[in-house]
Amino acid sequence: MGTTKRRSPLTDWTVLVPVVALVALVFSWGRDLPGFAVVLVALCLAGAVLAAVHHAEVVAHRVGEPFGSLILAVAVTVIEVALIVTLMADGGDKTASLARDTVFAAVMITCNGIVGVSLLVGALRNRVAVFNPEGSGAALATVATLATLSLVLPTFTTSKPGPEFSTAQLTFAAVASLALYGLFVAVQTVRHRNYFLPVDTGRDAGRDAGRDAGRDAGRDAGRDAGRDAGRDNGRQDDHAEPPTARAALLSLGLLLVALVAVVGDAKAVSPTIETAVAKAGLPQAVVGVIIALLVLLPETLAAVRAARRDRVQTSLNLAYGSAIASIGLTIPAIALASIWLSGPLLLGLGAVHMVLLALTVVVSALTLAPGRATLLQGGVHIVVLAAYLFLAVSP
């Protein structure tokens, strides 16, 4: 029997592209770019996104779930925080609401966009997308609490005029955010790790097929669906050995390089985006939405790939974990940065965005409670995201 050459988890383009994107960042940083340079940086940005997804999957394969999705969520969010602080330091009063706009955009994109697309992909593959309601519900509760404490309450507090926190209130929000984030990570990775692991879809697919086809036909369909799904899952789990520790560490380093390039290149093209937004007569908040979309591309692609492999729970881990990290790390960082940042810090949402946030929480709770979802639930989340994007452009 011939031997099969083991393919390295690192391919040439995934090593080269992050480095090229980082070089593009170095040469474009702080410069006014002509049109052709903006196109080149944008291409480097797209390549860095794809490379980040590859390296995140290598690391996730090595460490297993839910640590794999946690690594990508934290890495993206840490660099997102750095981008927000950098833009606020350079922008003055016109960026007073940038942290709020970016964090809220991240919440809406993750909780509606990533969740909705993942459910659609999972339901198209198996008719019903299956996940753990215990873990996903706990993550949603954490997102709702963090969003309310950090983005809703500032609109109603009276210590300072406008949608701002006083120093004491901002300190409390920062400490509470860090505490909740730390507690969630402990529950996800240690205390109740099994709540965040992918669900065996074979049994559930068989049961649904059996219910639709009738008791007798269902018994056969369930047996066949369970066997086939089990075989598919086995192929997905066993199709390749986990990468070596050295390869995983190299991928982790290249993942960080790629994410730095993604955020840095996004900042490099942001002046062009801001100019285009201003010429189009769109609200300034659209800039935050566009940057959030760019930064969250790696997690979106990774979530879709996981859903295609019957790992909808992994997709939900990425979505809700990113939302939790976005709020739980951004608010403390902004609170610390406000010591030297000049100008106001507007965190409170307006009435329209509060309605959209409430709708997102209610719809998400109804989606997650049964532990399974169809195309309808995925479509509802996509429509909520579309409403947010439309109202961002036409408030």
Side-chain angles (χ1 to χ4, degrees):
M1 181 180 296
T3 58
T4 302
K5 184 178 179 181
R6 181 179 176 181
R7 184 180 178 183
S8 171
L10 299 175
T11 57
D12 291 341
W13 76 269
T14 60
V15 177
L16 181 62
V17 167
V19 176
V20 172
L22 193 62
V23 171
L25 168 62
V26 171
F27 282 100
S28 62
W29 188 264
R31 293 183 173 91
D32 292 329
L33 301 179
F36 74 92
V38 172
V39 173
L40 290 177
V41 173
L43 291 175
C44 290
L45 172 61
V49 167
L50 297 176
V53 173
H54 170 82
H55 292 301
E57 290 182 341
V58 172
V59 175
H61 194 190
R62 174 67 186 181
V63 303
E65 284 298 319
F67 297 97
S69 57
L70 181 65
I71 289 173
L72 181 58
V74 172
V76 169
T77 305
V78 168
I79 301 176
E80 178 187 345
V81 169
L83 176 60
I84 292 174
V85 172
T86 301
L87 292 177
M88 290 186 69
D90 296 339
D93 289 348
K94 71 177 183 179
T95 60
S97 63
L98 179 64
R100 176 197 66 191
D101 296 336
T102 305
V103 169
F104 184 65
V107 171
M108 297 300 292
I109 292 168
T110 53
C111 293
N112 289 308
I114 297 180
V115 169
V117 172
S118 299
L119 293 179
L120 284 175
V121 172
L124 284 171
R125 181 179 175 85
N126 290 320
R127 298 189 62 197
V128 176
V130 182
F131 46 86
N132 279 314
E134 298 90 350
S136 301
L140 174 63
T142 308
V143 173
T145 302
L146 286 171
T148 301
L149 290 177
S150 302
L151 301 177
V152 175
L153 285 184
T155 303
F156 299 99
T157 55
T158 58
S159 297
K160 291 188 70 173
E164 294 184 60
F165 270 147
S166 66
T167 301
Q169 291 167 344
L170 183 59
T171 302
F172 172 80
V175 173
S177 298
L178 274 179
L180 277 176
Y181 179 73
L183 181 59
F184 172 77
V185 170
V187 169
Q188 184 187 34
T189 59
V190 181
R191 185 77 174 182
H192 297 288
R193 184 184 175 206
N194 59 310
Y195 288 173
F196 299 89
L197 297 179
V199 177
D200 180 13
T201 59
R203 180 187 59 200
D204 297 304
R207 185 169 59 205
D208 290 336
R211 184 183 303 118
D212 293 339
R215 183 182 61 192
D216 295 334
R219 182 174 62 245
D220 295 334
R223 187 185 304 117
D224 294 340
R227 183 182 65 241
D228 294 339
R231 185 172 62 243
D232 292 340
N233 288 340
R235 280 199 299 264
Q236 290 159 4
D237 291 338
D238 302 330
H239 76 285
E241 296 179 8
T244 63
R246 180 176 178 274
L249 286 175
L250 182 57
S251 270
L252 180 61
L254 289 169
L255 170 63
L256 295 178
V257 171
L259 291 174
V260 169
V262 168
V263 177
D265 289 342
K267 184 181 186 301
V269 300
S270 63
T272 302
I273 296 174
E274 290 175 350
T275 302
V277 168
K279 288 183 178 179
L282 299 175
Q284 187 67 24
V286 173
V287 177
V289 175
I290 295 174
I291 293 176
L293 287 169
L294 292 174
V295 172
L296 287 170
L297 266 179
E299 289 162 305
T300 303
L301 294 177
V304 171
R305 288 189 178 185
R308 291 178 61 188
R309 296 170 182 171
D310 293 336
R311 297 294 187 264
V312 175
Q313 183 61 51
T314 300
S315 303
L316 298 183
N317 291 347
L318 281 166
Y320 293 120
S322 298
I324 293 170
S326 183
I327 306 175
L329 297 179
T330 299
I331 298 304
I334 294 300
L336 185 62
S338 65
I339 297 175
W340 70 83
L341 289 176
S342 59
L345 177 61
L346 306 181
L347 289 178
L349 295 173
V352 172
H353 285 170
M354 282 191 283
V355 170
L356 289 173
L357 178 62
L359 179 61
T360 297
V361 172
V362 171
V363 168
S364 299
L366 295 174
T367 296
L368 298 178
R372 59 185 59 214
T374 65
L375 291 172
L376 177 60
Q377 284 92 339
V380 169
H381 283 281
I382 295 298
V383 168
V384 175
L385 175 65
Y388 163 70
L389 295 177
F390 174 77
L391 292 173
V393 174
S394 179

